[in-house]
Amino acid sequence: AQKVTQAQTEISVVEKEDVTLDCVYETRDTTYYLFWYKQPPSGELVFLIRRNSFDEQNEISGRYSWNFQKSTSSFNFTITASQVVDSAVYFCALSNDYKLSFGAGTTVTVRA
Amino acid sequence: DTGVSQNPRHKITKRGQNVTFRCDPISEHNRLYWYRQTLGQGPEFLTYFQNEAQLEKSRLLSDRFSAERPKGSFSTLEIQRTEQGDSAMYLCASSFEGFNGYTFGSGTRLTVV
């Protein structure tokens, strides 16, 4: 069985602060994919980043960066210099093929 | 192609009524998925199609739920004899075979009163 845990329910920051979202996952598969999605109030799930289990290289993409550590089964996500438009629910998800298992989400509120 | 389209966006129905939702995937995608999301939770997998074949159904999909994808294009999700517990956001997504991530639609929010 696959499980994703997002321990942070809500995070509130002031604009321009950095925000780090935690994600811990459980899987018995050796090959899997990890994702972060954003869900603004409109409801659509927006794909942000994807990593496969063989690539632990951490990268930065614009204001987004991630820290993937297989040893601790964690896949944390950081928004640098947050903006009001970043306010949304963020979901971490795990997949071994076609099926995504989502965490419960973290609500991020960025105040001006 | 403007992405995955779902209709209607909102549906309010009385308990016991039947409802049907439609999903139009990205035309090149051969896989189509349905998820359900209740308030404060992440989406949960319901079922998926590869072309017109329904390959997996979650145990969340009771016998009151049925999904079809005729001709491997659009899909419909029908809920018969709706119950208040069916109130949720129903999300559709599509992808290519050889999983590289989904594109999700905006969802259909169902409220059963």
Side-chain angles (χ1 to χ4, degrees):
Chain A
Q2 299 182 322
K3 183 179 178 181
V4 177
T5 302
Q6 295 179 252
Q8 304 151 306
T9 305
E10 295 183 28
I11 297 176
S12 181
V13 297
V14 177
E15 207 169 18
K16 298 183 182 178
E17 289 185 348
D18 296 346
V19 180
T20 295
L21 307 179
D22 298 334
C23 174
V24 174
Y25 63 91
E26 296 176 28
T27 181
R28 295 180 180 174
D29 297 312
T30 55
T31 302
Y32 52 88
Y33 300 89
L34 293 162
F35 299 81
W36 278 97
Y37 281 87
K38 173 182 178 181
Q39 189 174 43
S42 60
E44 183 175 350
L45 279 165
V46 179
F47 167 79
L48 296 177
I49 57 175
R50 166 183 176 262
R51 258 356 234 184
N52 72 55
S53 53
F54 295 108
D55 185 358
E56 288 190 73
Q57 181 177 355
N58 296 311
E59 294 184 14
I60 296 173
S61 176
R63 295 189 298 110
Y64 299 150
S65 63
W66 51 94
N67 186 348
F68 176 28
Q69 294 191 347
K70 286 180 73 172
S71 61
T72 56
S73 297
S74 65
F75 185 53
N76 298 336
F77 175 68
T78 297
I79 305 170
T80 302
S82 61
Q83 301 173 2
V84 173
V85 293
D86 295 326
S87 297
V89 182
Y90 290 80
F91 291 98
C92 180
L94 167 69
S95 174
N96 64 344
D97 181 16
Y98 57 86
K99 187 189 306 183
L100 283 166
S101 298
F102 285 86
T106 299
T107 301
V108 173
T109 302
V110 181
R111 308 185 308 276
Chain B
D1 197 338
T2 57
V4 178
S5 176
Q6 291 189 246
N7 288 289
R9 290 296 309 275
H10 303 275
K11 178 71 176 179
I12 300 174
T13 191
K14 292 183 178 180
R15 189 174 53 185
Q17 297 294 306
N18 298 345
V19 294
T20 300
F21 311 140
R22 177 178 170 125
C23 172
D24 288 273
I26 292 174
S27 56
E28 305 87 54
H29 289 174
N30 62 346
R31 286 185 172 179
L32 186 147
Y33 314 81
W34 286 99
Y35 281 74
R36 181 172 69 185
Q37 184 179 18
T38 54
L39 201 60
Q41 299 298 317
E44 296 174 293
F45 173 82
L46 291 179
T47 188
Y48 96 101
F49 294 82
Q50 182 155 309
N51 299 313
E52 66 276 9
Q54 188 174 19
L55 297 187
E56 183 172 335
K57 294 170 59 174
S58 162
R59 63 179 180 275
L60 294 175
L61 216 64
S62 76
D63 56 6
R64 295 185 297 105
F65 288 71
S66 62
E68 295 182 345
R69 193 185 183 196
K71 303 178 183 178
S73 56
F74 71 92
S75 176
T76 58
L77 177 67
E78 181 183 16
I79 309 175
Q80 296 181 326
R81 305 180 304 282
T82 51
E83 302 172 355
Q84 286 189 323
D86 297 331
S87 295
M89 174 79 86
Y90 290 84
L91 292 160
C92 177
S94 66
S95 76
F96 292 109
E97 185 178 349
F99 185 72
N100 285 304
Y102 297 171
T103 301
F104 279 90
S106 297
T108 294
R109 183 171 295 283
L110 173 66
T111 302
V112 182
V113 297

Coordinates of all heavy atoms in Angstrom, one line a residue, chain A residues 33 35 37 39 42-45 47 50 91 95 97-100 102-105, chain B residues 9 31 33 35 37 40-43 45 48 56 91 99-102 104-106:
Chain A
Y33 N 7.1 7.5 -8.5 CA 7.2 8.9 -8.9 C 6.6 9.8 -7.8 O 5.6 9.3 -7.1 CB 6.5 9.2 -10.2 CG 7.0 8.4 -11.4 CD1 6.5 7.1 -11.7 CD2 8.0 8.9 -12.2 CE1 7.0 6.4 -12.7 CE2 8.5 8.2 -13.3 CZ 7.9 7.0 -13.5 OH 8.4 6.2 -14.6
F35 N 5.2 13.7 -6.8 CA 4.7 14.9 -7.4 C 4.3 16.0 -6.4 O 4.0 15.6 -5.2 CB 3.4 14.6 -8.2 CG 3.5 13.6 -9.3 CD1 3.6 12.3 -9.0 CD2 3.6 14.0 -10.6 CE1 3.7 11.3 -10.1 CE2 3.8 13.1 -11.6 CZ 3.8 11.8 -11.4
Y37 N 1.4 19.1 -6.5 CA 0.3 19.7 -7.2 C -0.2 20.9 -6.4 O -0.2 20.9 -5.2 CB -0.9 18.8 -7.5 CG -0.7 17.8 -8.6 CD1 -0.1 16.6 -8.4 CD2 -1.2 18.1 -9.9 CE1 0.0 15.7 -9.4 CE2 -1.0 17.2 -10.9 CZ -0.4 16.0 -10.7 OH -0.3 15.1 -11.7
Q39 N -3.6 23.4 -5.9 CA -5.0 23.5 -6.1 C -5.5 24.9 -5.7 O -5.8 25.1 -4.5 CB -5.8 22.4 -5.4 CG -7.3 22.4 -5.8 CD -8.0 21.2 -5.3 OE1 -7.8 20.8 -4.1 NE2 -8.8 20.5 -6.1
S42 N -10.1 27.9 -7.6 CA -10.9 27.4 -8.8 C -11.1 25.9 -8.8 O -12.0 25.4 -9.5 CB -10.2 27.9 -10.0 OG -8.9 27.4 -10.2
G43 N -10.2 25.2 -8.1 CA -10.5 23.7 -8.0 C -9.6 22.9 -8.9 O -9.4 21.7 -8.6
E44 N -9.0 23.4 -9.9 CA -8.2 22.6 -10.8 C -6.9 22.3 -10.2 O -6.2 23.1 -9.6 CB -8.0 23.4 -12.1 CG -7.2 22.6 -13.2 CD -7.1 23.4 -14.5 OE1 -7.8 24.4 -14.6 OE2 -6.3 23.0 -15.3
L45 N -6.4 21.0 -10.3 CA -5.1 20.6 -9.8 C -4.1 21.0 -10.9 O -4.1 20.5 -12.0 CB -5.1 19.1 -9.5 CG -5.7 18.7 -8.2 CD1 -6.0 17.2 -8.2 CD2 -4.8 19.0 -7.1
F47 N -0.2 20.8 -12.0 CA 1.0 20.1 -11.9 C 2.2 21.1 -11.6 O 2.3 22.1 -12.3 CB 1.3 19.3 -13.1 CG 2.7 18.7 -13.2 CD1 3.1 17.6 -12.5 CD2 3.6 19.3 -14.0 CE1 4.3 17.1 -12.6 CE2 4.9 18.8 -14.1 CZ 5.3 17.7 -13.4
R50 N 7.7 16.9 -10.7 CA 7.7 15.4 -10.7 C 9.1 14.9 -10.5 O 10.0 15.5 -11.2 CB 7.1 14.9 -12.0 CG 7.3 13.4 -12.2 CD 6.7 13.1 -13.6 NE 7.0 11.7 -14.0 CZ 7.9 11.3 -14.8 NH1 8.8 12.2 -15.3 NH2 8.1 10.1 -15.1
F91 N -0.6 19.8 -2.7 CA -0.7 18.3 -2.5 C 0.6 17.6 -2.9 O 1.1 17.9 -4.0 CB -1.9 17.7 -3.3 CG -3.2 18.1 -2.7 CD1 -4.0 19.1 -3.3 CD2 -3.8 17.4 -1.6 CE1 -5.2 19.5 -2.9 CE2 -5.0 17.8 -1.2 CZ -5.8 18.8 -1.8
S95 N 3.1 7.9 -7.0 CA 2.6 6.9 -7.9 C 3.7 5.9 -8.3 O 4.8 6.2 -8.4 CB 2.1 7.7 -9.2 OG 1.8 6.7 -10.2
D97 N 2.7 3.8 -11.1 CA 2.4 3.6 -12.5 C 1.3 4.6 -12.9 O 1.6 5.8 -13.3 CB 2.0 2.2 -12.8 CG 1.6 2.0 -14.2 OD1 2.0 2.8 -15.1 OD2 1.0 1.0 -14.6
Y98 N 0.1 4.2 -12.8 CA -1.0 5.1 -13.3 C -1.8 5.7 -12.2 O -2.4 6.7 -12.4 CB -1.9 4.2 -14.2 CG -2.5 3.1 -13.4 CD1 -3.6 3.2 -12.6 CD2 -1.9 1.8 -13.4 CE1 -4.1 2.2 -11.9 CE2 -2.4 0.8 -12.7 CZ -3.5 0.9 -12.0 OH -4.0 -0.1 -11.3
K99 N -1.7 5.2 -11.0 CA -2.6 5.7 -9.9 C -1.8 6.6 -8.9 O -0.7 6.3 -8.5 CB -3.1 4.5 -9.1 CG -4.1 4.8 -8.1 CD -4.4 3.6 -7.2 CE -4.8 2.3 -8.0 NZ -5.1 1.2 -7.1
L100 N -2.4 7.8 -8.7 CA -1.8 8.7 -7.8 C -2.4 8.5 -6.4 O -3.6 8.5 -6.2 CB -2.1 10.1 -8.2 CG -1.2 10.7 -9.4 CD1 -1.8 11.9 -10.0 CD2 0.2 10.9 -8.9
F102 N -2.6 10.7 -3.0 CA -2.4 12.0 -2.5 C -2.3 12.1 -1.0 O -3.0 11.3 -0.3 CB -3.5 12.9 -3.0 CG -3.5 13.3 -4.4 CD1 -4.1 12.4 -5.4 CD2 -2.9 14.5 -4.9 CE1 -4.1 12.8 -6.7 CE2 -3.0 14.8 -6.2 CZ -3.5 13.9 -7.1
G103 N -1.6 13.1 -0.5 CA -1.7 13.5 0.9 C -2.9 14.3 1.1 O -3.7 14.6 0.1
A104 N -3.1 14.7 2.3 CA -4.3 15.5 2.7 C -4.2 17.0 2.3 O -5.2 17.7 2.3 CB -4.6 15.3 4.2
G105 N -3.0 17.4 1.9 CA -2.9 18.8 1.5 C -2.5 19.7 2.6 O -2.8 19.5 3.8
Chain B
R9 N -19.9 22.2 -14.0 CA -19.0 22.6 -13.0 C -19.6 22.3 -11.6 O -18.9 22.0 -10.6 CB -18.6 24.0 -13.1 CG -17.7 24.4 -14.3 CD -16.4 23.7 -14.2 NE -15.7 23.9 -12.9 CZ -14.9 25.0 -12.6 NH1 -14.8 25.9 -13.5 NH2 -14.4 25.1 -11.5
R31 N -5.3 7.6 -21.8 CA -5.7 7.2 -20.5 C -6.6 8.3 -19.9 O -6.3 9.5 -20.0 CB -4.5 6.9 -19.6 CG -3.8 5.6 -19.9 CD -2.7 5.4 -18.9 NE -2.1 4.0 -19.1 CZ -1.1 3.5 -18.4 NH1 -0.6 4.3 -17.4 NH2 -0.7 2.3 -18.6
Y33 N -8.9 9.2 -16.2 CA -9.0 8.8 -14.8 C -10.1 9.6 -14.1 O -10.3 10.8 -14.5 CB -7.7 9.1 -14.0 CG -6.4 8.7 -14.7 CD1 -5.9 9.5 -15.7 CD2 -5.8 7.5 -14.3 CE1 -4.7 9.1 -16.3 CE2 -4.6 7.1 -14.9 CZ -4.1 7.9 -15.9 OH -2.9 7.6 -16.5
Y35 N -11.3 10.7 -10.2 CA -10.9 10.8 -8.8 C -12.1 11.5 -8.0 O -12.8 12.3 -8.6 CB -9.6 11.7 -8.5 CG -8.4 10.9 -8.8 CD1 -8.0 10.6 -10.1 CD2 -7.5 10.5 -7.8 CE1 -6.8 9.9 -10.4 CE2 -6.4 9.8 -8.0 CZ -6.0 9.5 -9.3 OH -4.9 8.8 -9.6
Q37 N -12.8 13.9 -4.5 CA -12.2 14.7 -3.5 C -13.2 15.2 -2.5 O -14.1 16.0 -2.9 CB -11.3 15.8 -4.1 CG -10.6 16.6 -3.0 CD -9.7 17.8 -3.7 OE1 -10.0 18.2 -4.8 NE2 -8.7 18.2 -2.9
G40 N -11.4 19.0 2.5 CA -10.3 18.9 3.4 C -9.4 17.7 3.2 O -8.5 17.4 3.9
Q41 N -9.6 16.9 2.1 CA -8.9 15.7 1.8 C -8.2 15.8 0.4 O -8.6 16.7 -0.4 CB -9.7 14.5 1.9 CG -10.4 14.3 3.2 CD -9.3 14.0 4.3 OE1 -8.4 13.3 4.1 NE2 -9.5 14.7 5.5
G42 N -7.2 15.0 0.2 CA -6.7 14.9 -1.1 C -7.6 14.0 -2.0 O -8.4 13.3 -1.5
P43 N -7.4 14.1 -3.3 CA -8.2 13.3 -4.2 C -8.0 11.8 -4.0 O -6.8 11.4 -3.7 CB -7.7 13.7 -5.6 CG -7.2 15.1 -5.4 CD -6.6 15.1 -4.0
F45 N -8.5 7.9 -5.9 CA -8.6 7.3 -7.1 C -10.0 6.5 -7.1 O -10.3 5.8 -6.2 CB -7.5 6.3 -7.3 CG -7.6 5.4 -8.5 CD1 -7.3 5.9 -9.8 CD2 -8.1 4.1 -8.4 CE1 -7.4 5.0 -10.9 CE2 -8.2 3.3 -9.5 CZ -7.8 3.7 -10.7
Y48 N -10.0 4.0 -13.9 CA -9.3 4.6 -15.0 C -9.5 3.7 -16.2 O -9.8 2.5 -16.1 CB -7.8 4.8 -14.7 CG -6.8 3.7 -15.2 CD1 -6.1 3.9 -16.4 CD2 -6.6 2.6 -14.4 CE1 -5.2 2.9 -16.8 CE2 -5.7 1.6 -14.8 CZ -5.0 1.8 -16.0 OH -4.1 0.8 -16.4
E56 N -9.3 -0.6 -14.1 CA -9.3 -0.8 -12.7 C -10.4 0.1 -12.1 O -10.7 1.2 -12.5 CB -8.0 -0.4 -12.0 CG -8.0 -0.6 -10.5 CD -6.6 -0.5 -9.9 OE1 -5.6 -0.6 -10.6 OE2 -6.6 -0.2 -8.7
L91 N -13.1 14.7 -9.9 CA -12.1 15.2 -10.8 C -11.8 14.2 -11.9 O -11.7 13.0 -11.6 CB -10.8 15.5 -10.0 CG -10.9 16.6 -9.0 CD1 -9.8 16.5 -8.0 CD2 -10.7 18.0 -9.8
F99 N 3.3 6.4 -17.9 CA 2.9 7.5 -17.0 C 3.9 8.6 -16.9 O 5.1 8.4 -16.5 CB 2.7 6.9 -15.6 CG 2.1 7.8 -14.6 CD1 0.8 8.3 -14.7 CD2 2.9 8.3 -13.6 CE1 0.3 9.2 -13.8 CE2 2.4 9.2 -12.7 CZ 1.1 9.6 -12.8
N100 N 3.5 9.8 -17.2 CA 4.4 11.0 -17.0 C 3.7 12.1 -16.3 O 4.1 13.2 -16.3 CB 4.9 11.5 -18.4 CG 5.9 10.6 -19.0 OD1 7.0 10.4 -18.4 ND2 5.7 10.1 -20.2
G101 N 2.6 11.7 -15.7 CA 1.8 12.7 -15.0 C 0.5 13.1 -15.7 O 0.4 12.9 -16.9
Y102 N -0.4 13.5 -14.9 CA -1.7 13.8 -15.4 C -1.9 15.2 -15.8 O -1.2 16.1 -15.2 CB -2.8 13.5 -14.3 CG -3.0 12.2 -13.8 CD1 -3.8 12.0 -12.7 CD2 -2.3 11.1 -14.3 CE1 -4.0 10.8 -12.1 CE2 -2.5 9.8 -13.7 CZ -3.4 9.7 -12.7 OH -3.6 8.5 -12.1
F104 N -5.3 17.5 -15.1 CA -6.6 17.4 -14.4 C -7.5 18.5 -15.0 O -7.1 19.5 -15.4 CB -6.4 17.7 -12.9 CG -6.0 16.5 -12.1 CD1 -4.6 16.3 -11.9 CD2 -6.9 15.6 -11.6 CE1 -4.2 15.2 -11.2 CE2 -6.5 14.5 -10.8 CZ -5.2 14.3 -10.6
G105 N -8.8 18.1 -15.0 CA -9.8 19.1 -15.2 C -10.2 19.9 -14.0 O -9.6 19.7 -12.9
S106 N -11.1 20.8 -14.1 CA -11.5 21.7 -13.0 C -12.5 21.1 -12.1 O -12.7 21.6 -11.0 CB -12.1 23.0 -13.5 OG -11.1 23.7 -14.3

